[in-house]
Amino acid sequence: MGTMRILRALARPAVALLAGASLALSTPGAAHATTTYEIPAPTSAGISATVQIHDAVVPQPYHPDPSAVVGPRRCGLLYHEYVGTAGCGGFELSVTLHNVRSQPGFAESGTIYETVPIVGPETYRFHAFADLARTFRCLRPDGTFDPATTLVVRTPQRQLDDVYFYTEVIPVLARFQGSERDYGPLFYMNFDPVQVNCPSGTTAHQYGLKISNIKITVNTPYIFGGMTWTHPGPYYA
């Protein structure tokens, strides 16, 4: 990994035109809502999950700079930074797994590296997916907008990015050893920039973010096996 990450190429937008009269739109700063979802275990002796979506960033106004790694328009990430940026927006998703210590094969102490390699194939990693929708609008100076300028960018079952090694099975299991707390994988999303073409005299704003159909998966021969935790959501910011 280099000293900074630069976002990928511009996302391909999908346009949704909405009919209606001019509407007023408030323009608060970046949103930081937090929502928690409880996902029960498939059986009484199984592993349940708590999923928390937090630190969502909804840029208002929306004027991203894909080359910037500092400042209010930045879209790039610094080394070991796993957040949604002020320019492009994003969110963080944390998973806490419960009843892991009661599973067959779990040991409160001792090495587990002999069973599962620290750096293994993708089968030794947790993955997270979600349906994502971002809505953009072009505001007039008085705060109103023409619904015909609304742009909705939808990404079904987008795979979220990993927070360092905290999505790997071994580090997650190691945190359970010698502790009474519960842990789980960590994910984030720093969105690609979107081209929003607003009429002269108006300013692009990201009106909102919707996250739905959340899915966490893992496929490993140790402790978890092949498991999936799902929740429909939705989460709004």
Side-chain angles (χ1 to χ4, degrees):
M1 184 182 300
T3 57
M4 64 180 67
R5 297 182 180 179
I6 302 301
L7 289 179
R8 297 177 290 276
L10 293 180
R12 180 180 301 170
V15 177
L17 297 179
L18 303 181
S22 294
L23 302 175
L25 175 66
S26 61
T27 58
H32 296 283
T34 298
T35 299
T36 300
Y37 300 113
E38 300 294 341
I39 304 176
T43 65
S44 59
I47 300 174
S48 62
T50 300
V51 175
Q52 185 180 75
I53 303 176
H54 54 96
D55 291 303
V57 180
V58 178
Q60 299 176 341
Y62 186 80
H63 187 37
D65 183 351
S67 65
V69 293
V70 294
R73 296 178 55 205
R74 75 181 185 111
C75 285
L77 295 175
L78 299 173
Y79 184 59
H80 282 329
E81 188 177 26
Y82 311 95
V83 298
T85 55
C88 276
F91 61 92
E92 298 173 48
L93 187 149
S94 302
V95 182
T96 304
L97 303 174
H98 311 290
N99 203 36
V100 172
R101 295 177 181 83
S102 299
Q103 301 306 304
F106 180 84
E108 291 288 350
S109 61
T111 180
I112 51 180
Y113 300 121
E114 296 177 359
T115 306
V116 181
I118 294 178
V119 180
E122 286 300 297
T123 53
Y124 295 101
R125 184 181 295 273
F126 290 88
H127 299 282
F129 306 84
D131 293 345
L132 308 176
R134 288 179 289 167
T135 301
F136 302 89
R137 289 173 178 169
C138 300
L139 265 64
R140 305 184 182 100
D142 63 0
T144 63
F145 69 95
D146 183 350
T149 66
T150 298
L151 169 69
V152 181
V153 180
R154 304 183 191 277
T155 312
Q157 287 303 283
R158 169 68 181 269
Q159 182 170 342
L160 306 187
D161 292 322
D162 303 331
V163 174
Y164 201 30
F165 55 77
Y166 292 111
T167 59
E168 295 180 12
V169 170
I170 283 298
V172 170
L173 287 174
R175 298 186 76 189
F176 278 91
Q177 289 185 325
S179 171
E180 295 182 355
R181 293 182 56 188
D182 287 346
Y183 300 94
L186 307 175
F187 306 91
Y188 79 102
M189 174 57 59
N190 182 37
F191 284 114
D192 296 327
V194 172
Q195 184 68 42
V196 183
N197 298 315
C198 287
S200 178
T202 64
T203 303
H205 277 62
Q206 183 176 337
Y207 176 71
L209 165 66
K210 178 183 178 182
I211 305 168
S212 57
N213 296 320
I214 303 160
K215 181 171 67 174
I216 314 297
T217 66
V218 66
N219 181 18
T220 175
Y222 194 67
I223 304 297
F224 299 104
M227 297 191 67
T228 299
W229 298 269
T230 62
H231 196 284
Y235 167 94
Y236 294 98

